[in-house]
Amino acid sequence: MGKLVSLQTALGHEFADPSLLEQALTHRSHSARHNERLEFLGDSVLNFVVAALLFQRFDKIDEGDLSRLRANLVKQASLAEIAGNLSLSQYLRLGEGELKSGGFRRPSILADALEALFGAVFLDGGYEAAQSVIARQYEPILQNVNAKTLGKDPKTLLQELLQARKLDLPVYTVIATHGAAHNQLFEVECHIPKFDIKVTAGGGSRRAAEQQAAEQAIAALQALAPVKGARAHRPRKSTQLSLPVAVPQEHK
Amino acid sequence: MGKLVSLQTALGHEFADPSLLEQALTHRSHSARHNERLEFLGDSVLNFVVAALLFQRFDKIDEGDLSRLRANLVKQASLAEIAGNLSLSQYLRLGEGELKSGGFRRPSILADALEALFGAVFLDGGYEAAQSVIARQYEPILQNVNAKTLGKDPKTLLQELLQARKLDLPVYTVIATHGAAHNQLFEVECHIPKFDIKVTAGGGSRRAAEQQAAEQAIAALQALAPVKGARAHRPRKSTQLSLPVAVPQEHK
């Protein structure tokens, strides 16, 4: 268990019962005493602690926005990123097959193990310990969350940016489709007349192409006419969760 | 606030900040300081506390069954029933329109207010206070939960009952349909050859009718050939959540 010292240091919790830590790191492919029940417990303590952190930090936003933020912060990709920061993959206990197929890199396995770790900390040290371990991972992220944009898709963001300037909505046009029916590529143009912005992007569906185009249009719009204050929330690299959507100040 | 003394007694928590209690009871139709943010917080502390209670009580069941049990225990109908036990409707603060349309009886409004109350207790007294208030409501219910059956639909339950006796699956037959296409009534027969059980039931869809028929078949099967121990978990009336599905020992 020597190497686990550094993991416990990174978590900020020293286990009174190290067998709980071991179980949290054990995938079901490895042995019968695996981490799935701990994951159930950890998922719920994580959801609660992040809810409480958001509730306290953002005292003006409504419950719909709180839900959107939380969903983004606890989704698999975000958890896998935190797991990466903790170098969790080097501590995982996987079965032969998972080892060979690179299971230690799989976002689902990493995210599940991280949740199981939070559950194990709760069992080991109670709520205060779990709260502290989770807050330690999330507080740097929360400092850089833009509550207005996190988790919104590019089309929604672009629409909101334009509405904030009292401008007309963007116009999306399918300009070409390629390939056969089951494997089509759509090319979509996004046009913002006021700024003479025309960008095109491709995607496997019309909607996907529109989102891609919206993301590019946001970048173009920001370059041409930055929104005041839009860079105020610019994340520091070290504590940023990479976002799946175009958030203007994070994409060039 | 006089009447709120009895509510606080029933909850087992005396608010240091009574304005939190008042806010939890305030529907958005009543005033701007309403309970929706508290509901977000309360929903997550409730999910976590019930997860932890289930984790501790049922140490042999897997995470899928834990999830099924929790979903059933925290769903709207279950919360509305707890709210009923607390006489929550008499404390609600609703706007004119909601008052006139009987909003104080609406399960969604009652369930949301109960969640908001749990959130308010957490803000007022911290995690331990919220855990204790929620456990006080749920522990009597948990004593009577049948982990094998709660939340399962009648067809699944019937199949499991028959499989446990190594018997063939039941046979469902549509014996009649009535009415026009948009408003059909299906009559379905459920047949268990081994016991010569044939019951029929109606429903607005084939699936709904099959579930109704399965529920009746379970009752018939239990009457003919009770499963050993099946009554051991019989709920005491006072602490039982009424279940939406056929649980043999709870329906006659």
Side-chain angles (χ1 to χ4, degrees):
Chain A
M1 301 283 288
K3 278 203 307 178
L4 292 179
V5 171
S6 52
L7 176 58
Q8 295 182 72
T9 304
L11 287 172
H13 178 78
E14 191 179 337
F15 276 83
D17 177 359
S19 78
L20 282 170
L21 172 57
E22 189 177 280
Q23 184 176 0
L25 297 168
T26 305
H27 188 256
R28 69 175 303 138
S29 62
H30 183 281
S31 41
R33 193 165 181 272
H34 58 69
N35 63 10
E36 293 191 356
R37 273 173 55 95
L38 288 175
E39 180 204 334
F40 168 77
L41 192 60
D43 171 80
S44 50
V45 70
L46 170 67
N47 269 279
F48 169 49
V49 170
V50 172
L53 291 172
L54 288 170
F55 186 95
Q56 283 151 9
R57 177 173 288 265
F58 300 106
D59 55 358
K60 296 283 183 281
I61 71 177
D62 71 21
E63 58 292 347
D65 286 337
L66 289 169
S67 291
R68 169 175 51 81
L69 291 178
R70 183 177 57 178
N72 202 275
L73 292 168
V74 305
K75 68 174 195 240
Q76 187 181 91
S78 302
L79 294 174
E81 197 155 330
I82 293 171
N85 295 341
L86 293 167
S87 304
L88 214 56
S89 60
Q90 69 184 93
Y91 307 107
L92 290 181
R93 291 150 44 96
L94 301 175
E96 284 279 329
E98 286 292 351
L99 263 182
K100 283 182 185 159
S101 65
F104 51 88
R105 283 190 306 264
R106 278 236 300 281
S108 62
I109 288 182
L110 287 165
D112 292 352
L114 181 64
E115 289 185 331
L117 267 181
F118 295 149
V121 171
F122 169 68
L123 288 182
D124 193 67
Y127 172 72
E128 295 302 330
Q131 198 281 337
S132 154
V133 163
I134 293 167
R136 182 187 177 109
Q137 296 305 315
Y138 274 94
E139 264 166 2
I141 297 167
L142 287 175
Q143 282 173 23
N144 297 301
V145 158
N146 185 332
K148 287 203 182 117
T149 59
L150 180 65
K152 285 187 183 164
D153 65 89
K155 282 183 71 176
T156 303
L157 280 177
L158 178 58
Q159 180 177 332
E160 289 179 357
L161 277 174
L162 294 173
Q163 282 171 338
R165 300 167 190 210
K166 307 206 188 303
L167 296 176
D168 290 340
L169 295 182
V171 180
Y172 297 93
T173 316
V174 176
I175 52 176
T177 57
H178 309 280
H182 58 288
N183 189 24
Q184 268 187 308
L185 180 75
F186 291 79
E187 265 187 76
V188 165
E189 178 190 84
C190 176
H191 182 204
I192 306 175
K194 172 75 180 179
F195 290 97
D196 207 21
I197 289 174
K198 276 189 185 176
V199 294
T200 60
S205 70
R206 180 178 173 155
R207 184 180 148 77
E210 285 178 356
Q211 295 290 3
Q212 286 292 320
E215 185 163 347
Q216 290 189 29
I218 289 171
L221 186 63
Q222 290 292 115
L224 269 180
V227 177
K228 268 183 207 162
R231 296 191 166 255
H233 290 281
R234 189 190 182 98
R236 277 166 284 156
K237 192 65 187 166
S238 61
T239 55
Q240 173 191 0
L241 281 184
S242 53
L243 303 172
V245 302
V247 178
Q249 65 276 24
E250 295 168 11
H251 286 73
K252 283 188 260 287
Chain B
M1 301 284 286
K3 278 204 306 179
L4 293 180
V5 171
S6 52
L7 176 58
Q8 295 181 71
T9 305
L11 286 172
H13 178 79
E14 190 179 336
F15 276 83
D17 176 0
S19 77
L20 281 169
L21 172 57
E22 190 178 279
Q23 184 175 0
L25 296 167
T26 305
H27 188 254
R28 67 175 304 140
S29 63
H30 183 280
S31 41
R33 194 165 180 274
H34 57 69
N35 63 9
E36 292 191 355
R37 274 173 52 96
L38 288 175
E39 180 204 335
F40 168 77
L41 192 60
D43 171 80
S44 48
V45 70
L46 171 66
N47 268 278
F48 168 48
V49 170
V50 172
L53 291 172
L54 287 170
F55 186 94
Q56 282 151 10
R57 176 174 288 266
F58 300 106
D59 56 358
K60 296 281 183 282
I61 71 178
D62 70 21
E63 58 291 346
D65 286 337
L66 289 168
S67 291
R68 169 173 53 81
L69 291 178
R70 181 175 60 176
N72 202 276
L73 292 169
V74 304
K75 69 173 194 240
Q76 188 180 92
S78 302
L79 293 173
E81 196 154 332
I82 293 172
N85 295 341
L86 292 167
S87 305
L88 214 57
S89 61
Q90 68 183 92
Y91 306 108
L92 290 181
R93 291 149 47 94
L94 302 174
E96 284 280 330
E98 285 292 352
L99 262 181
K100 283 181 183 158
S101 65
F104 52 87
R105 283 190 306 263
R106 277 235 301 281
S108 62
I109 288 182
L110 288 165
D112 292 352
L114 182 63
E115 288 186 330
L117 267 181
F118 294 148
V121 171
F122 169 67
L123 288 183
D124 192 67
Y127 172 73
E128 294 302 330
Q131 197 280 340
S132 154
V133 162
I134 294 167
R136 183 186 175 109
Q137 296 305 316
Y138 274 95
E139 262 166 3
I141 297 167
L142 287 175
Q143 281 172 22
N144 297 302
V145 158
N146 185 332
K148 286 201 185 122
T149 59
L150 181 66
K152 284 186 184 167
D153 66 89
K155 282 183 71 176
T156 303
L157 280 177
L158 178 57
Q159 180 176 332
E160 290 179 357
L161 278 173
L162 293 173
Q163 281 171 341
R165 301 167 190 209
K166 307 207 188 302
L167 295 176
D168 290 339
L169 295 182
V171 180
Y172 297 94
T173 316
V174 176
I175 53 176
T177 58
H178 310 281
H182 59 289
N183 190 22
Q184 267 187 309
L185 180 75
F186 291 79
E187 266 187 75
V188 164
E189 179 190 82
C190 176
H191 183 204
I192 306 175
K194 171 77 179 178
F195 291 98
D196 208 19
I197 290 174
K198 275 188 186 177
V199 294
T200 61
S205 70
R206 179 178 174 157
R207 182 179 149 77
E210 286 178 354
Q211 296 290 2
Q212 287 292 320
E215 186 162 347
Q216 290 189 30
I218 289 171
L221 186 63
Q222 290 292 117
L224 269 179
V227 177
K228 267 184 208 162
R231 297 193 164 255
H233 291 281
R234 191 190 180 100
R236 277 166 286 156
K237 191 66 188 167
S238 60
T239 55
Q240 175 190 359
L241 282 184
S242 54
L243 303 174
V245 302
V247 179
Q249 66 275 26
E250 295 168 12
H251 286 72
K252 282 190 262 286

